[in-house]
Amino acid sequence: TIADKLGRRPLLILTMSCCILLYIAMAFSIGQNAPVPLIVLLWALVRSTLNMQRPALQSMTVDLSTKERLTETFGLMIIGGNLGFATGPALGGYLAGQVTYAWLFGLGAGIFGLTFLLIIFFLKESFKVSSERVPIGSIFSAGRDRQLLLFTAVCFMLYLVSGQLASTLSVYTVSHAGFTTAQFGTLLTLNGLMITVVQYPATRLMSRFSLGSALVVGALLYGIGYLTMTWVGPYALALMAVAVITSGEICCTPTIMTVVGKLASANWRGRYMAFFGMSETLGMSLGPLMGGFLLDRFPGQPIFVWGVSAILAVGAAIGFGRFGRRLKK
């Protein structure tokens, strides 16, 4: 709602300022051996503040991109985010051996500070500020759009599936399939490398097809990849399964954001992105809970674990197929 009322840039400036202050507070608290609950609270505030940025960033992407190249633009954003997630832990792991944890968060505050300066001096507002009254609760008004609500419900099924990658899969491959933690780590590395290398050319290729077709193919790839995990024992088969799952992610992630961006008018993009983001967060949070329950309930019967994920993915593919008929390319 702030992104629609005040603009995308002011929200980014506000949240980035809060992140700088929170990281400084984290550094000071850790350096002073503050109580753990206080540190946990500060970290929760950091995560919440970072999530507040997403609707503004996604709305700005839609503002600045042409409709014909919107999926391609989101693909580039995903590559940038993936590179950050890959580089951050590696850099943090190296620095952890050189400085204290307090200084790590101090350096994090410095990186946020640099980003803040880039926003101030180089990032221009992409949206003409709306004069309409935008109450805080209006984020839920986006749910009155039946198309958005239906699309969100279908995507929720897919997010329950995609949430298995870093949680259920780690427990299953290490505790049930006998993989080492290093072998599981290479599965995530494969995921990251594929997104970095393949995402952009794949997005260019997908632009030749309808949005609905790309989503159907992506959801089916998710289902095939996770169902293959049922027979994982050989390490090579796990690599193949993750490659198929990642291919589904490459198809779906930028396309989903394109659909949400196209459903919203300029004055409602922030609210649409925020409403959809809540369902994404909920699905990615409940997915690991679902996977953990199935692992405990059906030990030694992986078909029940990965079969459920495959069924949900196929259900999402059917939903995307029906919804895709209402979408323009």
Side-chain angles (χ1 to χ4, degrees):
T1 56
I2 297 175
D4 288 336
K5 178 62 179 176
L6 301 180
R8 324 313 190 195
R9 187 172 179 270
L11 179 57
L12 291 175
I13 291 173
L14 174 63
T15 53
M16 198 58 62
S17 301
C18 291
C19 284
I20 294 170
L21 294 175
L22 287 168
Y23 258 63
I24 291 174
M26 286 278 293
F28 180 80
S29 299
I30 293 173
Q32 297 298 315
N33 294 317
V36 172
L38 174 61
I39 296 174
V40 171
L41 174 62
L42 288 171
W43 181 243
L45 290 173
V46 168
R47 298 306 306 170
S48 299
T49 304
L50 289 173
N51 283 333
M52 287 175 61
Q53 295 178 359
R54 292 182 64 188
L57 290 169
Q58 292 164 347
S59 298
M60 183 172 278
T61 301
V62 181
D63 295 339
L64 296 174
S65 176
T66 62
K67 289 185 177 180
E68 294 75 19
R69 304 194 69 178
L70 186 54
T71 305
E72 185 180 336
T73 307
F74 274 119
L76 287 172
M77 281 191 62
I78 292 167
I79 292 172
N82 193 69
L83 286 173
F85 279 117
T87 306
L91 181 60
Y94 170 76
L95 291 175
Q98 312 297 319
V99 299
T100 64
Y101 280 110
W103 271 107
L104 275 179
F105 283 94
L107 291 171
I111 293 173
F112 278 126
L114 178 60
T115 308
F116 177 83
L117 292 176
L118 291 174
I119 293 172
I120 290 292
F121 291 108
F122 296 103
L123 188 65
K124 296 180 180 179
E125 179 58 63
S126 63
F127 172 65
K128 185 179 179 180
V129 177
S130 173
S131 60
E132 68 170 316
R133 182 174 176 272
V134 185
I136 295 297
S138 66
I139 180 178
F140 298 104
S141 300
R144 296 174 186 170
D145 184 332
R146 189 180 178 189
Q147 286 200 86
L148 176 66
L149 196 59
L150 289 173
F151 186 70
T152 300
V154 175
C155 289
F156 176 75
M157 296 171 62
L158 193 66
Y159 286 130
L160 286 174
V161 177
S162 61
Q164 308 305 314
L165 184 62
S167 56
T168 311
L169 190 62
S170 65
V171 176
Y172 177 75
T173 54
V174 175
S175 300
H176 297 263
F179 287 12
T180 66
T181 54
Q183 285 177 315
F184 169 70
T186 59
L187 298 180
L188 297 185
T189 300
L190 174 63
N191 174 261
L193 285 175
M194 281 189 63
I195 292 173
T196 302
V197 175
V198 180
Q199 181 70 73
Y200 185 70
T203 304
R204 291 290 300 272
L205 178 64
M206 287 189 296
S207 65
R208 303 177 184 178
F209 304 96
S210 69
L211 297 173
S213 297
L215 289 172
V216 169
V217 170
L220 290 176
L221 287 171
Y222 266 116
I224 294 170
Y226 278 110
L227 186 61
T228 304
M229 284 295 171
T230 301
W231 299 281
V232 159
Y235 175 61
L237 185 60
L239 288 172
M240 185 188 77
V242 169
V244 175
I245 291 168
T246 305
S247 299
E249 183 180 351
I250 288 169
C251 288
C252 286
T253 305
T255 311
I256 285 172
M257 298 317 304
T258 299
V259 172
V260 178
K262 287 188 173 183
L263 287 175
S265 64
N267 289 348
W268 278 74
R269 280 175 188 152
R271 278 164 281 187
Y272 270 53
M273 293 296 182
F275 180 85
F276 183 83
M278 290 192 301
S279 71
E280 178 183 358
T281 301
L282 184 62
M284 296 293 283
S285 300
L286 292 180
L289 181 64
M290 177 191 77
F293 170 79
L294 291 172
L295 278 176
D296 290 341
R297 181 66 179 82
F298 301 103
Q301 297 176 291
I303 186 63
F304 289 103
V305 179
W306 304 117
V308 169
S309 293
I311 290 171
L312 286 170
V314 171
I318 294 171
F320 286 140
R322 293 175 64 97
F323 188 84
R325 298 170 190 168
R326 308 178 186 183
L327 295 173
K328 295 181 180 180
K329 183 176 176 180

